[in-house]
Amino acid sequence: DRRSIISLVSDNQEELHAYTVSSAANPLSLSDAQVFSTGKDQYDFFTELQNRNADWWAQIRYRFTFEGGVTKEATGFILPNQKKPVAELAFTSGVPITSTQFELLDVSWYRVDHHQIADYKKWSEDRLNVEIKDPIFVQDELVNDVRISHSRFTVINHTAFSYSFPTFYVLLKRGNTVIGVNRTNLQALDSGAAQDVTLNWFGDVPEATQVEVIPELNLFDAQTYKGLIGAPSIDSRTGQK
């Protein structure tokens, strides 16, 4: 029930980090960063992070760099044993960008509290059982000299939890190579619900042979769960008010 969710997600997890973390958590793995030109002066940046730690999750601060500039700093998270995309979309640059590097500015590690979550694997699977069905990508015609394509998919929430503003990354692939990235948010995804999602792509998008949709849900943030917004102000990492 709602009280048990608050207890699991928001109660004191007693995580230790800073000086104790360096010897306990293995560093994140990074894929090669990519940049995609999507039209005149518009670029999308992309990389993948992997957390090989079974008992540690992290909050991150990052940016992408390129010759002569950087993107704005952004924040994110990564769950235990998770591999996930990270992107900066629709970045405007007056000079061509042909390559990029991903820069992790800060990583704060937090340990799963097994007093609250005895079996993280089962706990997370119970909350991440979100099915993606029939993802497709369609290239459309030019509209006022702007090419607009779209991707479509159906998302089904098989969990007992309802979510507020869930995020979905959409990766276009040719074989195993990512050739395009986009992102969308839903206002809500209720338990047991199925939603059809359409996402527009603007600019030049190469033809893809595969579409992959990846949900992004921060299970350790009480604001992720619909109905918990406005719950008592308790830090979901430390349990401190």
Side-chain angles (χ1 to χ4, degrees):
D1 60 21
R2 184 174 300 177
R3 287 189 295 272
S4 66
I5 298 172
I6 295 175
S7 175
L8 282 172
V9 178
S10 299
D11 279 358
N12 183 7
Q13 295 189 36
E14 297 180 356
E15 299 116 337
L16 300 177
H17 55 100
Y19 67 91
T20 59
V21 168
S22 60
S23 62
N26 294 315
L28 298 175
S29 300
L30 310 176
S31 70
D32 291 335
Q34 298 174 257
V35 59
F36 309 112
S37 175
T38 59
K40 184 178 180 181
D41 299 335
Q42 293 287 305
Y43 297 89
D44 293 337
F45 295 83
F46 167 79
T47 192
E48 286 184 308
L49 298 183
Q50 186 166 7
N51 179 12
R52 301 181 187 276
N53 297 285
D55 289 324
W56 295 87
W57 67 284
Q59 290 186 326
I60 61 173
R61 185 167 56 88
Y62 64 89
R63 65 185 180 185
F64 291 86
T65 66
F66 54 91
E67 185 175 357
V70 298
T71 64
K72 68 179 183 295
E73 293 184 11
T75 59
F77 70 92
I78 188 165
L79 301 176
N81 282 334
Q82 185 180 39
K83 183 178 181 180
K84 64 176 292 185
V86 177
E88 175 70 26
L89 304 179
F91 182 84
T92 300
S93 173
V95 298
I97 303 174
T98 57
S99 63
T100 184
Q101 298 289 325
F102 180 76
E103 185 177 2
L104 269 175
L105 301 172
D106 184 65
V107 180
S108 296
W109 288 103
Y110 304 98
R111 190 166 192 171
V112 175
D113 180 5
H114 291 292
H115 295 291
Q116 295 289 332
I117 304 170
D119 184 346
Y120 172 77
K121 185 174 185 295
K122 182 180 185 305
W123 184 87
S124 62
E125 288 174 350
D126 287 345
R127 289 155 177 76
L128 294 173
N129 188 10
V130 175
E131 180 185 3
I132 304 298
K133 289 188 64 176
D134 304 322
I136 64 169
F137 176 74
V138 179
Q139 288 186 315
D140 296 332
E141 298 180 355
L142 290 173
V143 178
N144 296 327
D145 296 325
V146 176
R147 182 173 296 280
I148 303 177
S149 305
H150 67 272
S151 50
R152 294 196 301 266
F153 60 91
T154 299
V155 55
I156 306 173
N157 182 2
H158 294 293
T159 80
F161 306 92
S162 297
Y163 297 111
S164 294
F165 304 106
T167 297
F168 297 85
Y169 279 91
V170 180
L171 306 183
L172 300 184
K173 293 184 172 182
R174 188 174 295 151
N176 292 323
T177 302
V178 176
I179 59 174
V181 60
N182 210 336
R183 183 173 54 214
T184 190
N185 298 88
L186 302 181
Q187 184 172 1
L189 182 62
D190 290 335
S191 174
Q195 289 193 38
D196 296 324
V197 182
T198 299
L199 175 62
N200 290 328
W201 299 67
F202 297 95
D204 299 325
V205 182
E207 188 172 349
T209 59
Q210 181 184 350
V211 181
E212 182 178 3
V213 180
I214 303 171
E216 183 181 63
L217 295 167
N218 187 349
L219 303 183
F220 295 98
D221 185 353
Q223 303 300 302
T224 296
Y225 300 88
K226 186 178 176 182
L228 298 186
I229 295 175
S233 178
I234 300 175
D235 190 296
S236 62
R237 303 178 302 269
T238 65
Q240 300 299 314
K241 293 185 179 181

